[in-house]
Amino acid sequence: MHRREALKSLAILTGGAVLVPSCNFEKEDILAAYQNLNVTESMCKLLAQIADTIIPPGNIQGAGDLAVQDFILVMVNDCVQADQQGMFTKGLQGFDNFSKEEAGSKFSKLEPADKEKVVAQGLSISEEDADAGKKTILEFLRITKRFTIQGYMMSEYIMTQVKPYHLIPGEYNGAVLINSISNPKING
Amino acid sequence: MANFNIDATAERTFQAIVIGSGLSGSWAAKELCEHGVKTLVIERGRDVKHLHDYPTTNMLPYEFEHRGQLTNQIKEENPVVSRCYAFREDAMHFFVKDKEHPYVQDKPFDWIRGYQVGGKSLLWARQVQRWSDFDFEGPARDGFAVDWPIRYKEIAPWYSHVEKFAGVSGNKDGLANLPDGEFLPGFELNIVEKYFQEQLKKHYGDTRHMILARCAHITGNLEYYQQQGRAKCQSRNLCHRGCPFGGYFSANASTLPWAEKTGNMTLRTHAVVHSIIYDEAKGKATGVRIVDANTKQMEEYFADVIFVNAAALNTNLILLNSTSSRFPNGLGNDSGLLGKYVAFHNYRAGISAEYEGHSEYTTSGGRPTSGYFPRFRNLYKQETDFLRGYAAGFTASRSNYADQSGIGMPLKEELLNPSKYSNWNIGSHMMGETIPKETNFVALSKEEKDAWGIPLLKVNVEYDDNDEKMIKDYQQQMTEMFEKAGFTNIRVRDDKRAPGLDIHEMGGVRMGKDPKTSLLNKDHQLHACPNVYVTDGACMTSTSTQNPSLTYMAFAARAAHHAMKNQKWGKV
């Protein structure tokens, strides 16, 4: 986290947000912590809502409660190939337009059920038939879903309070009858 | 040297110097110190103290920013080490980064290194299979390299010696080509691995075996290991981070603290060895020149006996750089063969498959080892159009996973209560013996030096036709065995990896009977400078198919005792 911490300290020193020049049509400032992505604060909020639609809140907290969007941005910024980073940013930028086309409104204005429909529709875009814009939405959602699941399941909350992770997994048993395993159902 | 005086010389004089604090060097140090020899251990990197310097050992998955994954930046800056399976977010700090320590790849070679106290003993895969005379007699029988000057019976007691102290878990399998040792209780093969054992028996009688791989983990005799401050392996499978239990053998957890406890060991870290000092008048080596890694000042240390355990290729580098008028081409290099006949293990091929049977079973808990195929090819006689053969790993596993097709609450419920089981996934990888050749060699760069003024190592090592044939044979034979066992979706691979990524590089300072065709004698002494011993991978005459570390440990202990019995020791 050194880079991000450094940027934060710099922000404090300069008395405000650290800005990098934006090279797209967004008027909003680009978040400097993700230097490989052109992501603004409102895009980050939109991403949180998409993640929260993929894994919604309930008895157990959802992706939004756990701020999984931060993890998604870290992973896409640091670990994903450049062409995929481009698709991700474009897809996120274009997602509200896609939402308007599919459901007649910006994503944030939709009811949860409609949000789910929009995301489901995006994920069911045909790889063969769709135009470039639609394919970008598909790729963006695939990346987002993958890291939403990873960030959610590998979060401190899930790994300590819901499905505790054990550094010591116990002695090996090489023949466990599956129907002898009784895991209490976790009600999401 | 400026400010050089008698007192400084006395302070810098020991009975023995061990170059390298890793797996083999720490064994030499442990044996020497335990028997009262004042020993200086020289390490080029930083200290890594057991328990204190394992920063990630108890970190939970969510505490890693990228959940273990490497970032693009790290991969771009470190193309070589990033190819190593263990170079991940949790253990990166124990590996040499590409730019810090450059070398010259005359041919592609992935040189994986760990420059710190303990070396790669923190990072190894902990597999410890003994050699047998099927291995030691290989070169003589098949007409390559030179005959090993030793046989199994000479090394067997030293295998026992190191197995007992290091802690080796395994089963007594009664196989002629993979001798049994001093074993702590073995881990368990799972139901499908046992099924495969039965299938081998059914189709191949007693000619092919798949056994539980012996590994350097403590599984019993716990009071004995308490003396080392080590405890039972907890099957965490987080070994590369350093183990807070000392459950597996590392120099840091075992041999080095043991040596230190005697009061006879001095550890000099941040000391890059430049060369070994040869005294023409005395006709022997008298010490070691180091360059302080931080100040870059040269210093000299003196001793009666010197052990070179810098890890295979760096041991070559040090000897090649140790020139004098007696040895203009490197210490002990009268034969001109120093740096030549480097070999490795061929890990290029693998196979995967699925098994639909035993679907009512799964496994639980952790296990730090797997199954192992000892070599069956060309074992008793030559039977193929290539020399030697291969060992192989073998694993069956299955996972409980979530169907991730949906979104919303159905997806969340499924993630929290995964309903799916994969088929049993079957996997194996080859470990092929390669034939040492004069054309596979390392040498010093004439132009380029590192930041400490030491010539860069040029590596010139490649596969040959024998290796290519062996890859095909492994793929064919494993496919046949997998088909007979009823496995499906069988896929063979050849990942075309460069030599080196096996991290089993060996040779260059080989043992042999004749000083004209080898560098070291049967007791690991340089023929031409017998107070210098080499007991790491550099000494290997041939490679066999077993993971070599156990053999280095046994060699180091044996050579240390040879030195204590046969060398002239001064007082300190």
Side-chain angles (χ1 to χ4, degrees):
Chain A
M1 285 290 269
H2 297 316
R3 175 170 48 78
R4 287 185 194 100
E5 275 157 17
L7 283 165
K8 268 188 220 158
S9 331
L10 192 59
I12 293 161
L13 287 174
T14 55
V18 181
L19 311 177
V20 294
S22 163
C23 55
N24 65 18
F25 47 81
E26 291 280 347
K27 288 171 198 155
E28 231 184 318
D29 300 322
I30 302 295
L31 297 176
Y34 309 108
Q35 83 280 29
N36 297 325
L37 312 172
N38 289 320
V39 179
T40 62
E41 189 57 44
S42 59
M43 283 164 75
C44 184
K45 281 184 185 147
L46 173 59
L47 183 64
Q49 290 177 16
I50 298 167
D52 205 46
T53 304
I54 293 168
I55 303 181
N59 289 328
I60 306 282
Q61 295 183 17
D65 299 316
L66 304 182
V68 167
Q69 71 276 6
D70 294 345
F71 174 74
I72 299 171
L73 290 172
V74 167
M75 292 302 283
V76 177
N77 188 75
D78 294 353
C79 298
V80 159
Q81 294 302 309
D83 57 331
Q84 297 254 303
Q85 288 173 342
M87 296 276 258
F88 176 87
T89 307
K90 263 196 199 162
L92 180 53
Q93 281 165 351
F95 194 75
D96 261 336
N97 278 340
F98 176 72
S99 176
K100 282 176 199 160
E101 279 170 36
E102 296 294 326
S105 172
K106 282 175 75 172
F107 193 69
S108 59
K109 305 280 186 225
L110 298 176
E111 291 301 314
D114 291 327
K115 283 183 175 164
E116 206 174 304
K117 268 185 208 153
V118 170
V119 173
Q121 258 154 353
L123 282 164
S124 64
I125 288 168
S126 158
E127 232 167 322
E128 287 84 45
D129 308 337
D131 59 36
K134 286 274 166 60
K135 277 185 200 161
T136 303
I137 295 292
L138 173 66
E139 197 51 40
F140 157 69
L141 284 174
R142 280 182 176 167
I143 295 168
T144 299
K145 183 176 173 183
R146 172 157 63 97
F147 288 127
T148 299
I149 292 172
Q150 189 189 13
Y152 182 76
M153 295 307 288
M154 293 183 82
S155 65
E156 180 172 2
Y157 168 71
I158 294 291
M159 293 191 117
T160 56
Q161 295 181 48
V162 182
K163 289 168 80 75
Y165 171 86
H166 302 288
L167 275 168
I168 295 175
E171 293 209 0
Y172 192 72
N173 184 339
V176 178
L177 271 171
I178 287 173
N179 63 20
S180 74
I181 304 169
S182 60
N183 284 327
K185 168 103 165 56
I186 300 168
N187 190 353
Chain B
M1 264 177 64
N3 304 322
F4 200 74
N5 58 46
I6 302 289
D7 287 347
T9 305
E11 271 169 33
R12 291 166 187 278
T13 300
F14 299 82
Q15 289 178 298
I17 292 175
V18 178
I19 301 171
S21 65
L23 183 130
S24 69
S26 74
W27 263 100
K30 179 237 170 206
E31 297 298 326
L32 294 167
C33 292
E34 209 175 10
H35 294 87
V37 178
K38 298 286 180 195
T39 304
L40 175 70
V41 176
I42 297 178
E43 166 54 49
R44 66 174 298 155
R46 67 189 169 98
D47 198 3
V48 173
K49 283 219 186 308
H50 181 51
L51 304 179
H52 299 281
D53 295 319
Y54 304 154
T56 58
T57 188
N58 282 325
M59 278 173 68
L60 291 154
Y62 53 84
E63 295 179 288
F64 292 98
E65 189 181 12
H66 304 96
R67 304 298 186 269
Q69 223 174 301
L70 298 178
T71 64
N72 295 336
Q73 192 188 348
I74 287 180
K75 284 197 265 192
E76 279 156 22
E77 286 172 3
N78 301 282
V80 170
V81 68
S82 292
R83 285 192 280 271
C84 175
Y85 70 100
F87 185 74
R88 304 254 305 152
E89 199 172 26
D90 63 344
M92 286 189 299
H93 48 287
F94 290 143
F95 287 87
V96 163
K97 311 300 178 292
D98 292 13
K99 279 181 188 162
E100 292 167 3
H101 299 285
Y103 60 101
V104 182
Q105 298 182 54
D106 283 341
K107 288 171 185 150
F109 186 90
D110 288 342
W111 192 11
I112 309 298
R113 294 156 290 170
Y115 287 173
Q116 64 255 327
V117 167
K120 298 194 295 293
S121 78
L122 283 164
L123 300 166
W124 65 315
R126 310 163 313 279
Q127 294 287 302
V128 277
Q129 329 303 328
R130 286 188 179 201
W131 281 37
S132 72
D133 279 337
F134 290 95
D135 306 303
F136 287 111
E137 287 174 0
R141 190 193 82 175
D142 291 344
F144 64 95
V146 290
D147 189 15
W148 276 90
I150 54 167
R151 288 295 183 268
Y152 179 70
K153 67 174 182 342
E154 287 157 289
I155 191 76
W158 296 100
Y159 274 140
S160 292
H161 180 75
V162 298
E163 282 166 346
K164 194 170 175 232
F165 190 84
V168 171
S169 152
N171 297 326
K172 295 215 185 254
D173 299 294
L175 302 177
N177 56 330
L178 204 74
D180 292 329
E182 311 294 322
F183 296 149
L184 303 169
F187 288 91
E188 190 187 342
L189 289 176
N190 66 44
I191 189 162
V192 171
E193 291 162 345
K194 285 176 184 164
Y195 160 80
F196 185 64
Q197 278 186 318
E198 288 159 20
Q199 291 293 305
L200 283 180
K201 182 99 187 153
K202 184 172 148 196
H203 297 289
Y204 298 92
D206 209 27
T207 62
R208 295 187 185 188
H209 301 271
M210 195 282 290
I211 60 158
L212 175 82
R214 295 130 190 202
C215 61
H217 287 254
I218 294 172
T219 55
N221 201 11
L222 301 181
E223 279 175 29
Y224 172 77
Y225 294 102
Q226 248 170 32
Q227 299 169 56
Q228 296 178 38
R230 299 172 59 202
K232 192 178 176 190
C233 167
Q234 302 293 314
S235 297
R236 295 176 0 134
N237 272 339
L238 303 173
C239 312
H240 301 122
R241 301 179 182 182
C243 181
F245 300 92
Y248 74 93
F249 172 85
S250 68
N252 312 66
S254 178
T255 30
L256 287 177
W258 195 263
E260 192 175 27
K261 217 161 56 178
T262 65
N264 294 320
M265 182 179 87
T266 304
L267 178 64
R268 171 70 164 91
T269 58
H270 302 288
V272 183
V273 171
H274 174 277
S275 53
I276 293 164
I277 304 162
Y278 183 78
D279 186 315
E280 314 257 338
K282 290 180 183 155
K284 62 177 198 171
T286 53
V288 174
R289 281 182 208 97
I290 65 114
V291 178
D292 186 286
N294 299 317
T295 67
K296 304 200 173 156
Q297 292 296 307
M298 194 172 267
E299 295 172 22
E300 296 183 339
Y301 291 94
F302 307 98
D304 304 312
V305 173
I306 293 155
F307 273 73
V308 195
N309 298 77
L313 298 191
N314 273 325
T315 287
N316 277 275
L317 188 158
I318 289 168
L319 293 175
L320 285 165
N321 203 39
S322 301
T323 53
S324 56
S325 52
R326 166 69 185 87
F327 294 111
N329 301 313
L331 187 65
N333 191 15
D334 289 343
S335 63
L337 296 182
L338 180 59
K340 295 175 180 173
Y341 294 93
V342 169
F344 57 99
H345 280 156
N346 178 358
Y347 267 62
R348 262 171 50 189
I351 184 167
S352 67
E354 291 177 40
Y355 179 54
E356 289 167 24
H358 293 303
S359 61
E360 65 275 36
Y361 287 98
T362 186
T363 65
S364 66
R367 185 181 66 172
T369 187
S370 64
Y372 182 88
F373 266 95
R375 175 165 73 97
F376 55 86
R377 266 309 197 204
N378 300 323
L379 188 59
Y380 290 96
K381 60 177 198 318
Q382 185 63 34
E383 57 197 19
T384 66
D385 66 346
F386 59 87
L387 290 181
R388 313 307 294 162
Y390 42 84
F394 182 89
T395 317
S397 65
R398 76 184 305 195
S399 55
N400 175 214
Y401 70 96
D403 173 354
Q404 302 187 354
S405 59
I407 61 162
M409 279 312 280
L411 173 64
K412 187 182 186 188
E413 292 280 348
E414 174 65 15
L415 289 171
L416 295 170
N417 306 282
S419 66
K420 304 282 181 189
Y421 276 90
S422 67
N423 283 333
W424 286 90
N425 295 310
I426 314 294
S428 168
H429 66 275
M430 79 179 289
M431 297 180 274
E433 179 163 357
T434 68
I435 307 299
K437 294 179 294 287
E438 193 165 6
T439 48
N440 275 351
F441 65 93
V442 295
L444 300 185
S445 169
K446 289 190 175 68
E447 302 85 30
E448 291 180 90
K449 290 186 172 178
D450 67 14
W452 301 273
I454 293 165
L456 297 193
L457 193 70
K458 286 154 60 84
V459 187
N460 201 313
V461 173
E462 64 183 341
Y463 294 98
D464 63 16
D465 194 41
N466 201 64
D467 301 322
E468 301 294 338
K469 286 177 181 165
M470 202 185 284
I471 287 166
K472 289 211 169 60
D473 189 71
Y474 166 88
Q475 292 175 334
Q476 284 163 1
Q477 294 303 313
M478 294 306 285
T479 300
E480 180 189 295
M481 289 185 269
F482 279 22
E483 280 171 351
K484 285 183 175 169
F487 298 159
T488 55
N489 195 16
I490 298 170
R491 292 172 198 202
V492 295
R493 65 174 181 272
D494 172 0
D495 66 14
K496 305 275 182 191
R497 65 175 65 193
L501 199 53
D502 43 292
I503 327 183
H504 288 180
E505 61 275 15
M506 293 178 236
V509 196
R510 72 182 178 190
M511 297 170 75
K513 294 169 180 164
D514 183 352
K516 288 193 190 70
T517 57
S518 62
L519 278 298
L520 301 168
N521 68 16
K522 65 178 173 42
D523 297 308
H524 296 265
Q525 301 164 278
L526 283 173
H527 290 297
C529 186
N531 70 330
V532 173
Y533 290 79
V534 175
T535 71
D536 64 9
C539 76
M540 302 299 275
T541 307
S542 66
T543 72
S544 181
T545 55
Q546 284 88 315
N547 308 62
S549 303
L550 180 74
T551 301
Y552 305 162
M553 294 197 258
F555 281 169
R558 177 174 171 269
H561 283 264
H562 179 273
M564 288 188 280
K565 207 168 154 191
N566 296 287
Q567 294 289 338
K568 282 187 189 142
W569 296 94
K571 284 197 177 130
V572 178

